[in-house]
Amino acid sequence: MGLDHTSLTTLAVLGDEQRRRMFDFIRQVRHPVTREEVAASLGISRKLAAFHLDKLVTAGLLRSHYESPVGMIHKVGRRPKVYEPMAQAIAVSIPERHYEMLADVLIEAVLTEGGGESARDTALHVAYERGETLGSAGREQVRPGLLGAEQELSLAADTLEKFGYEPERAAPTLLRLRNCPFHPLAAKAPELVCAVNQAFLAGYLHGLGSDKTTAVLAPRPDACCVELRADGLAQGSSGPGTACGR
């Protein structure tokens, strides 16, 4: 659970020392390079350089195209193949983290903060709405009829798995989340981050059309601060006094 296939492929490709050195070299020169340049920089053959470069392209770490490299005078015939890094940043984390989701909520909260409402309250509203949108989309996709508590938790587990929560069905009517996608930020500001997390998950359940399950604050040292519980288990929720996640 956690990492998707793309992340695992990236880890595997960069696990090779020569490919990692090759990738670092191409990133540092900041212009498209040929196989010959890469081979010379690592002291390997052009054929071996081409093999590793193609692996990096397949993994989505580099892109290739044909053009005259910097400082090279183009001769008659096809332009040489060159390689450069993909534009997007690469981040692989175990367990999986989603800081960008939290950052997006907080940025929108600051930008939309209005009269009489604090940035924190606005962040909770934004997080709830984001979750509600996700839940509505999920319900629309599966188009279920009347959902029971166990069905609601099954749908939630499938969705939250994709966000790095590592859901665990502790009981038929209890879904625990073994990973906090926002840790270690949650450890620095648990009252804010855990509240945003709970609001997001509560909004998700509402969007899903759930009236039988609740997003409950139940901090544990080695897990997310929120659990999804059926009505009968929803009593006794505690505040986010302990940092969630690991």
Side-chain angles (χ1 to χ4, degrees), residues 98-106 130 163 165 181-182 200:
H98 285 273
Y99 307 121
E100 72 284 352
M101 186 167 73
L102 178 62
D104 195 38
V105 167
L106 296 178
R130 294 290 178 88
F163 286 83
Y165 280 98
F182 312 126
F200 172 75

Side-chain angles (χ1 to χ4, degrees), residues 77-89:
R78 191 174 70 171
R79 295 175 183 271
K81 193 174 187 179
V82 296
Y83 300 83
E84 60 184 333
M86 295 293 287
Q88 67 269 27

Side-chain angles (χ1 to χ4, degrees), residues 1-3 96 98 101 130-132 134-135 138 152-168 175-182 197-205 208 213-215 224 226-229:
M1 289 192 283
L3 287 178
E96 198 169 350
H98 285 273
M101 186 167 73
R130 294 290 178 88
E132 192 173 33
L134 179 66
E152 291 172 354
L153 291 179
S154 294
L155 283 173
D158 290 342
T159 299
L160 298 180
E161 174 75 24
K162 301 172 185 176
F163 286 83
Y165 280 98
E166 296 186 357
E168 174 188 33
L175 186 68
R176 286 185 173 144
L177 307 173
R178 296 186 298 170
N179 179 50
C180 173
F182 312 126
N197 194 14
Q198 184 193 26
F200 172 75
L201 293 171
Y204 168 75
L205 290 175
L208 194 62
T213 52
T214 310
C224 177
V226 181
E227 296 177 349
L228 305 187
R229 303 178 182 178

Side-chain angles (χ1 to χ4, degrees), residues 29-196:
V29 297
R30 297 188 177 276
H31 62 74
V33 296
T34 64
R35 294 171 177 177
E36 289 76 12
E37 289 178 273
V38 172
S41 74
L42 270 67
I44 59 177
S45 69
R46 178 186 179 280
K47 185 175 181 179
L48 182 57
F51 170 78
H52 287 309
L53 286 166
D54 288 341
K55 290 287 186 181
L56 291 168
V57 170
T58 300
L61 295 165
L62 299 179
R63 73 182 189 96
S64 62
H65 56 283
Y66 293 91
E67 71 171 45
S68 296
V70 175
M72 178 182 291
I73 299 175
H74 177 59
K75 299 178 181 179
V76 177
R78 191 174 70 171
R79 295 175 183 271
K81 193 174 187 179
V82 296
Y83 300 83
E84 60 184 333
M86 295 293 287
Q88 67 269 27
I90 298 164
V92 177
S93 176
I94 304 175
E96 198 169 350
R97 306 301 185 201
H98 285 273
Y99 307 121
E100 72 284 352
M101 186 167 73
L102 178 62
D104 195 38
V105 167
L106 296 178
I107 288 171
E108 183 173 340
V110 171
L111 293 176
T112 59
E113 181 184 357
E117 187 175 59
S118 68
R120 182 184 186 279
D121 289 341
T122 306
L124 298 185
H125 292 157
V126 171
Y128 187 91
E129 290 171 358
R130 294 290 178 88
E132 192 173 33
T133 300
L134 179 66
S136 297
R139 184 175 180 86
E140 181 66 23
Q141 186 174 6
V142 298
R143 294 183 179 276
L146 185 63
L147 290 174
E150 293 186 31
Q151 291 174 300
E152 291 172 354
L153 291 179
S154 294
L155 283 173
D158 290 342
T159 299
L160 298 180
E161 174 75 24
K162 301 172 185 176
F163 286 83
Y165 280 98
E166 296 186 357
E168 174 188 33
R169 198 64 169 268
T173 53
L174 174 61
L175 186 68
R176 286 185 173 144
L177 307 173
R178 296 186 298 170
N179 179 50
C180 173
F182 312 126
H183 186 79
L185 298 178
K188 295 181 179 179
E191 291 188 1
L192 173 61
V193 176
C194 292
V196 167

Side-chain angles (χ1 to χ4, degrees), residues 14-28:
L14 291 179
D16 183 275
E17 184 180 355
Q18 281 193 332
R19 289 178 201 150
R20 189 165 59 250
R21 289 173 55 206
M22 189 176 292
F23 183 65
D24 288 341
F25 166 73
I26 295 172
R27 287 184 62 249
Q28 290 167 10

